Amino acid sequence: MISVALLEQLAQPQSAHLVDAMASALDDHPLTAADVTRWRKTADAGLVSAAIELVTARAALRGRIASADAFWCDRAGAAQASDDLSAQWKAQRAASAAAALRDPGTRSLAMAAGDAGRGPCLRGPLLIDYCCGTGADLAHFTLALDGRVEGADMRTERAWMAARNANVRVHVADVRTWRSDAPLAHIDPSRREESTGARRHGWHALEPGPEVLRKLAAHHAGLMVKLGPGTDVPPEARPAGSELVVLSRAGSLTQAVLCTGALAVPDPACGRAFHTARAVLLRQGLASLEFAGPPAWTSGRGDSNWLTAASWSRIVAEPDPSLERSGLLSAAAQTLGLTEVHPGLGLCTDAPACDLAAVRQSPWWRTWDIVAALPARLDDIRTTLRKHRAGPVDVKVRGGVADADEWSRALRGDGGSPITVLVHRTPRGGAEAIVARRCLTP
């Protein structure tokens, strides 16, 4: 963590040359002891260490935050910062909720979601970002809500950073004892140990924990809780009408968000009595894609409905991870005529009525044409790959039945045809393999 005193020094014009020189050196090579010694001849050792921390953190944010080279952060804060696309999605959701709060026709719903007998305050800030950290989310909320936001963090240093990055007021306050009157709220509970950077896992490991989050949901007309995409939220912890949103980008999960009250958008199939799941596919320069409905998770181990590899149809379809993590895989597959080869495996194949062109064109799915299905034995797979003049081989494993990197090296051929081998478990503890080629979009 960089102290506020050192942050103030780094923000002075006379420190800009030091920061710029370090950033330029880091672009060229990893910083060395000789670099540090040279800089310490012209600046205080503490200031040099703080500048190194700043430029290293900024470098880690490149590709995730457009303003990375001007963003105030330390490495721990950078690791917890939302990427631009995720933050923009949440900011747009907040702007829609704020517009609804201003509409007298929908305001009663929001008032019912806040403290009993207390309606939303629409004169001051519209949103408070608790545990705002370095302010990556806060900056996007500020843009979407015309500056009518405020932040809060219990760490003075983080509050300083967030205020600089978002250009709004940030309180130094502990969410366990302090509340804002803003009708909408966002909170980013800590999922890492500050000293070690180790991740905390699970709903009950968050800090602040479930009891504080429950009170915040009751206090505000709408609340968004930022979560790691692997965090399981127990059904009993989700208020009626809440929505669990799973965000992904370029085939990787970015975060999950539990939305309550005015910030939730229940699917008509769920209604406000139950919670909704929503998968969101974030796309750079394009509108996000969304699929919502009631979640349905299936484990499927040992299920008699297992489709053996030999009985799969023409293609293998792998869903975007947000569909799997949200529990919406089965429903999304059915809309295109796909069927799960086995519940819980996360792979689909085409049913007779499937629209193959629609599946191949859908950003939600990666598809392969099936070349062969066989037992997952290296010698048998090698023989098949030679017949198809395989070159580079990408091995994808489901169920932990093989080492993907080891198998990719062992199966690489000298031909010119790229091949994918999908290896998966079977109900009785064995494994099967599908040899396939990536589908070409019609």
Side-chain angles (χ1 to χ4, degrees):
M1 183 73 71
I2 308 172
S3 71
V4 171
L6 286 172
L7 287 167
E8 292 283 6
Q9 279 188 264
L10 288 172
Q12 297 301 314
Q14 57 266 35
S15 297
H17 72 282
L18 176 64
V19 174
D20 291 343
M22 286 185 179
S24 178
L26 187 60
D27 286 343
D28 184 59
H29 62 266
L31 300 184
T32 65
D35 292 324
V36 176
T37 299
R38 183 174 70 256
W39 290 321
R40 283 182 174 175
K41 291 179 180 178
T42 59
D44 176 76
L47 186 64
V48 170
S49 296
I52 291 173
E53 178 76 7
L54 176 63
V55 299
T56 304
R58 285 175 171 176
L61 285 176
R62 290 175 186 167
R64 294 172 50 209
I65 294 180
S67 62
D69 290 334
F71 199 79
W72 290 93
C73 56
D74 57 353
R75 279 175 284 190
Q80 298 171 35
S82 291
D83 64 282
D84 278 341
L85 288 181
S86 299
Q88 286 166 6
W89 185 90
K90 291 187 289 186
Q92 289 164 4
R93 172 63 68 89
S96 296
L101 289 177
R102 296 189 186 101
D103 182 353
T106 59
R107 192 176 302 167
S108 59
L109 290 175
M111 292 176 69
D115 283 344
R118 171 184 175 277
C121 176
L122 301 179
R123 292 185 299 275
L126 293 170
L127 181 140
I128 171 71
D129 189 4
Y130 294 112
C131 305
C132 63
T134 56
D137 285 307
L138 185 61
H140 286 281
F141 287 131
T142 300
L143 290 173
L145 295 170
D146 298 324
R148 294 186 61 186
V149 302
E150 59 185 351
D153 199 279
M154 66 187 298
R155 290 183 175 273
T156 309
E157 301 89 347
R158 291 278 164 76
W160 187 97
M161 294 174 184
R164 291 289 296 233
N165 290 329
N167 196 29
V168 294
R169 182 182 184 186
V170 179
H171 304 269
V172 178
D174 188 337
V175 67
R176 292 169 294 188
T177 57
W178 181 85
R179 295 285 186 276
S180 167
D181 286 332
L184 304 176
H186 172 271
I187 185 170
D188 182 4
S190 175
R191 298 177 303 283
R192 290 179 184 267
E193 294 290 346
E194 187 74 30
S195 58
T196 65
R199 290 183 181 273
R200 296 187 179 104
H201 296 282
W203 174 253
H204 293 283
L206 298 175
E207 183 59 43
E211 182 59 22
V212 172
L213 299 177
R214 184 190 64 78
K215 290 178 179 178
L216 287 177
H219 177 78
H220 294 280
L223 173 69
M224 282 193 281
V225 183
K226 176 183 171 182
L227 303 168
T231 302
D232 287 315
V233 185
E236 64 273 13
R238 305 178 195 176
S242 63
E243 180 187 20
L244 185 60
V245 182
V246 181
L247 307 175
S248 73
R249 175 191 179 189
S252 298
L253 299 174
T254 61
Q255 62 185 255
V257 189
L258 179 64
C259 301
T260 73
L263 284 165
V265 180
D267 184 80
C270 305
R272 284 203 168 266
F274 304 97
H275 66 268
T276 293
R278 185 177 302 271
V280 178
L281 182 57
L282 303 168
R283 303 185 296 170
Q284 189 72 48
L286 297 170
S288 62
L289 298 177
E290 303 188 10
F291 188 91
W297 288 273
T298 52
S299 60
R301 289 186 179 273
D303 193 296
S304 60
N305 292 327
W306 184 286
L307 287 178
T308 61
S311 63
W312 293 16
S313 188
R314 295 163 290 179
I315 66 169
V316 180
E318 181 183 54
D320 184 83
S322 63
L323 291 175
E324 277 192 90
R325 193 69 192 89
S326 61
L328 295 171
L329 169 57
S330 181
Q334 290 174 17
T335 63
L336 291 175
L338 294 169
T339 182
E340 288 184 90
V341 294
H342 185 55
L345 188 61
L347 295 174
C348 296
T349 191
D350 52 307
C354 176
D355 183 344
L356 282 182
V359 175
R360 289 171 173 166
Q361 290 174 336
S362 172
W364 289 106
W365 301 89
R366 296 180 71 199
T367 55
W368 293 263
D369 288 315
I370 295 175
V371 172
L374 61 163
R377 294 192 290 264
L378 280 171
D379 288 344
D380 293 343
I381 298 171
R382 280 196 194 97
T383 299
T384 300
L385 293 176
R386 280 196 294 269
K387 290 179 181 177
H388 293 279
R389 300 184 54 79
V393 176
D394 178 27
V395 177
K396 301 177 72 66
V397 177
R398 291 275 172 153
V401 294
D403 184 300
D405 292 335
E406 181 180 320
W407 276 47
S408 293
R409 289 191 294 269
L411 293 173
R412 182 181 178 87
D414 55 8
S417 178
I419 293 286
T420 298
V421 176
L422 299 103
V423 187
H424 58 274
R425 57 178 170 77
T426 62
R428 294 181 176 84
E432 296 175 317
I434 295 287
V435 177
R437 286 193 178 95
R438 279 299 304 271
C439 292
L440 297 176
T441 302

